[in-house]
Amino acid sequence: MGLHPAFEQIHQERIPEVNSLATLYKHLRTGAEILSLENDDENKVFGITFRTPAPDSTGLPHIMEHSVLCGSRKYPVKEPFIELAKGSLNTFLNAMTYPDKTCYPVASQNLQDFYNLIDVYLDAVFYPNITPHTLQQEGWHYEIDDPDAPLTFKGVVFNEMKGAYSSADDLLDQESQARLYPDITYGVDSGGDPVHIPDLTYAQFKAFHQTFYHPSNARIYFYGDDDPARRLELLDAYLNQFNAIQVPSAIPLQPLFDRPRRAVAPYEASPEDTRSLLTVSWMLPEAADAELAIGLSILDHILIGSPASPLRKALIDSGLGEDLTGRGLDLGYRQPFYSVGMKGVAPENTLRVEQLILDSLAALARDGIDPATVSASLNTVEFRLRELNTGRFPRGLAIMLGALETWLYDGDPFDSLRINPPLESIKARLARGERYFEALLHAHLVENLHRSTVVLEPDPDLARRRAEAETDRLAQIKAAMSPAEIQ
């Protein structure tokens, strides 16, 4: 007999690497999947994640993440999230939007507080009070102080993303991703582009919640020393109110490029800003292999993880820019990516930086990587994986985010937890004299044609042009309004 009749146990395994008994369940009525980790950690973690591919750059997933925490059926106060932040004993309380998922995690060392947080979050995601006013407040709305004054756009996410789009580093990050995945959801901005956020309608907003915020599209996670049977009991109280549906949330694969691509875009700069930024990014194979994921993590550290790392050293010593930029290795995508570049580059030197990156990688793959560098990076990454020293960030939450790297794409959530077999395999390859990291480097970076270079150039006039375009758009909207609508 299982722990609860509403759930089917799919797989159970003791995983020494995270000192846990891990069990994967499926809710029979809805198909919701639950990963339950039992251990002696008193800092208990709960998270519910939905796959939320953005259809466009209106910021729908981001605005929804804000909005569901603005009151629900059972907790109809204006901002339960703020009240919890003030009065709860939580050790973590937040929500996060990613390019293809939205996560709602909480953590607490107090059992009753933990149960209360779970109840508030489950009610919030499944039964939010998302009215037209919620969209206006959290997303965007028109504002006017006087009938004769000009209209303006306002809204929590609109204002936040205006700030992000005026930051060269944030813009480079977004452009690098968009150019690497032009044909799928990763090519749009799930956070929202300020130009497109005001295109979002309430009907689209409401439909997005009805489509994606359903148990059939949920991955639910527990971690800690609380009662595993009680976890399922708490969940079923919510899940049994739904029936299974087909949710169109699968993330498609980006078709491969037949040649590398290059793009140049402007960024908002002051007259004193004369420097460019650039990244070179590669799309990597679908994340289905734990050994490849760990191998790439070690390769990332070999290349740029320390001041002595060969790629970092080549770029810094060149004097062609001020510092490195790019995200390095990001495994949080169905097809992960690797990105590295420089900021503070004279515009005439961007091609030299791009070539230096490509030449440095080719030389390392051809001539070999210093064994001492390989050993140091392997030890560092292994220590990091085993210790999982997350500081104030709950350990259980880091484990959840790792599991989602495969689980979100219908892979095995246990893969990222079982770190011993892939590490031992990599060590055995190295002991046999294999050029393991050189081969990874050659296959996934040097010979990989799915590569995109993005250069951001300073444009002192861009902020003014954007402001004028927004002013003209609002003037046309106001001109079409009746006096009653303006009032």
Side-chain angles (χ1 to χ4, degrees):
M1 179 68 185
L3 287 181
H4 195 289
F7 297 86
E8 175 191 2
Q9 181 177 306
I10 305 296
H11 181 69
Q12 186 173 69
E13 186 177 331
R14 182 158 291 285
I15 302 186
E17 293 95 325
V18 290
N19 190 32
S20 299
L21 178 66
T23 313
L24 183 66
Y25 298 98
K26 180 169 270 194
H27 187 248
L28 293 168
R29 183 168 176 142
T30 63
E33 290 186 10
I34 297 90
L35 180 61
S36 178
L37 268 62
E38 301 166 47
N39 50 56
D40 59 4
D41 193 338
E42 64 179 12
N43 196 9
K44 294 164 273 291
V45 176
F46 164 83
I48 180 163
T49 297
F50 300 96
R51 209 157 52 185
T52 51
D56 51 39
S57 293
T58 57
L60 241 175
H62 187 189
I63 296 167
M64 188 60 69
E65 174 230 301
H66 280 243
S67 299
V68 301
L69 298 171
C70 290
S72 63
R73 173 192 68 173
K74 203 166 167 184
Y75 304 98
V77 295
K78 187 183 175 209
E79 290 181 317
F81 184 74
I82 303 300
E83 298 306 315
L84 283 172
K86 288 190 294 192
S88 158
L89 298 169
N90 73 81
T91 52
F92 189 89
L93 178 79
N94 212 334
M96 295 97 88
T97 305
Y98 295 88
D100 57 12
K101 63 181 176 285
T102 310
C103 302
Y104 296 89
V106 293
S108 182
Q109 295 181 5
N110 178 285
L111 185 62
Q112 194 49 52
D113 183 54
F114 184 56
Y115 289 159
N116 184 50
L117 291 168
I118 291 169
D119 195 56
V120 173
Y121 263 51
L122 287 173
D123 206 66
V125 297
F126 291 129
Y127 300 104
N129 295 336
I130 46 173
T131 64
H133 174 75
T134 316
L135 171 59
Q136 290 164 6
Q137 173 184 289
E138 299 302 321
W140 73 276
H141 62 271
Y142 299 120
E143 205 160 283
I144 191 167
D145 296 322
D146 176 89
D148 298 322
L151 277 184
T152 56
F153 287 128
K154 286 282 176 3
V156 175
V157 170
F158 179 83
N159 293 346
E160 182 185 326
M161 296 311 295
K162 269 217 140 168
Y165 270 70
S166 66
S167 156
D169 289 305
D170 288 353
L171 187 62
L172 181 67
D173 201 34
Q174 177 57 33
E175 282 284 336
S176 301
Q177 177 185 308
R179 303 292 181 163
L180 206 56
Y181 306 95
D183 306 310
I184 61 169
T185 185
Y186 300 142
V188 299
D189 189 349
S190 62
D193 180 336
V195 171
H196 298 297
I197 290 171
D199 297 333
L200 179 59
T201 67
Y202 179 66
Q204 292 168 320
F205 179 64
K206 189 85 173 160
F208 188 83
H209 183 270
Q210 288 170 342
T211 303
F212 296 112
Y213 280 65
H214 189 281
S216 299
N217 190 41
R219 274 105 177 133
I220 303 169
Y221 172 86
F222 282 94
Y223 168 98
D225 65 357
D226 55 305
D227 177 4
R230 181 77 177 118
R231 295 172 175 180
L232 302 182
E233 195 181 312
L234 287 167
L235 279 183
D236 188 52
Y238 276 93
L239 301 183
N240 70 18
Q241 298 169 45
F242 295 86
N243 293 311
I245 62 168
Q246 284 293 114
V247 180
S249 67
I251 309 301
L253 291 171
Q254 166 64 44
L256 294 173
F257 294 170
D258 56 6
R259 65 174 70 87
R261 299 183 182 183
R262 199 169 195 275
V264 179
Y267 74 89
E268 289 185 14
S270 65
E272 301 79 54
D273 289 326
T274 59
R275 299 272 165 165
S276 296
L277 305 84
L278 87 153
T279 55
V280 183
S281 307
W282 293 261
M283 188 175 80
L284 303 172
E286 195 176 353
D289 181 335
E291 185 176 316
L292 179 59
I294 289 180
L296 289 168
S297 299
I298 298 166
L299 180 62
D300 177 33
H301 192 274
I302 288 169
L303 295 176
I304 59 172
S306 77
S309 294
L311 181 57
R312 174 181 287 277
K313 198 167 182 326
L315 288 168
I316 296 296
D317 289 355
S318 73
L320 293 171
E322 292 165 6
D323 200 2
L324 265 64
T325 189
R327 221 183 289 178
L329 177 67
D330 195 325
L331 293 169
Y333 294 72
R334 184 173 176 191
Q335 293 155 294
F337 76 94
Y338 190 75
S339 176
V340 66
M342 289 199 92
K343 53 186 173 182
V345 179
E348 64 272 16
N349 285 335
T350 54
L351 277 170
R352 288 179 65 193
V353 172
E354 180 183 3
Q355 199 58 49
L356 176 60
I357 292 169
L358 300 176
D359 290 347
S360 299
L361 295 176
L364 286 166
R366 182 184 65 243
D367 304 335
I369 301 164
D370 177 12
T373 301
V374 171
S375 179
S377 291
L378 176 60
N379 290 340
T380 301
V381 172
E382 180 175 3
F383 182 78
R384 211 180 272 164
L385 289 169
R386 292 196 188 287
E387 287 299 300
L388 211 62
N389 184 0
T390 53
R392 295 179 62 192
F393 194 75
R395 179 184 174 90
L397 180 51
I399 292 169
M400 179 189 96
L401 293 173
L404 284 166
E405 288 172 3
T406 48
W407 191 20
L408 193 80
Y409 314 111
D410 305 314
D412 182 353
F414 294 79
D415 258 5
S416 68
L417 310 183
R418 307 182 193 105
I419 61 170
N420 286 337
L423 277 169
E424 293 312 312
S425 172
I426 290 168
K427 288 177 188 175
R429 286 166 175 268
L430 294 171
R432 289 196 300 268
E434 272 190 42
R435 286 166 50 91
Y436 176 71
F437 291 105
E438 289 85 352
L440 278 189
L441 184 54
H442 187 263
H444 299 302
L445 299 184
V446 176
E447 289 293 304
N448 184 354
L449 295 179
H450 198 106
R451 183 178 88 225
S452 170
T453 300
V454 172
V455 179
L456 287 194
E457 295 181 338
D459 185 343
D461 201 39
L462 182 61
R464 181 191 61 77
R465 294 200 308 276
R466 281 179 173 165
E468 279 184 4
E470 189 177 295
T471 301
D472 290 347
R473 178 182 182 180
L474 285 160
Q476 289 177 28
I477 290 163
K478 189 185 175 192
M481 285 181 172
S482 68
E485 285 172 325
I486 290 170
Q487 199 61 50

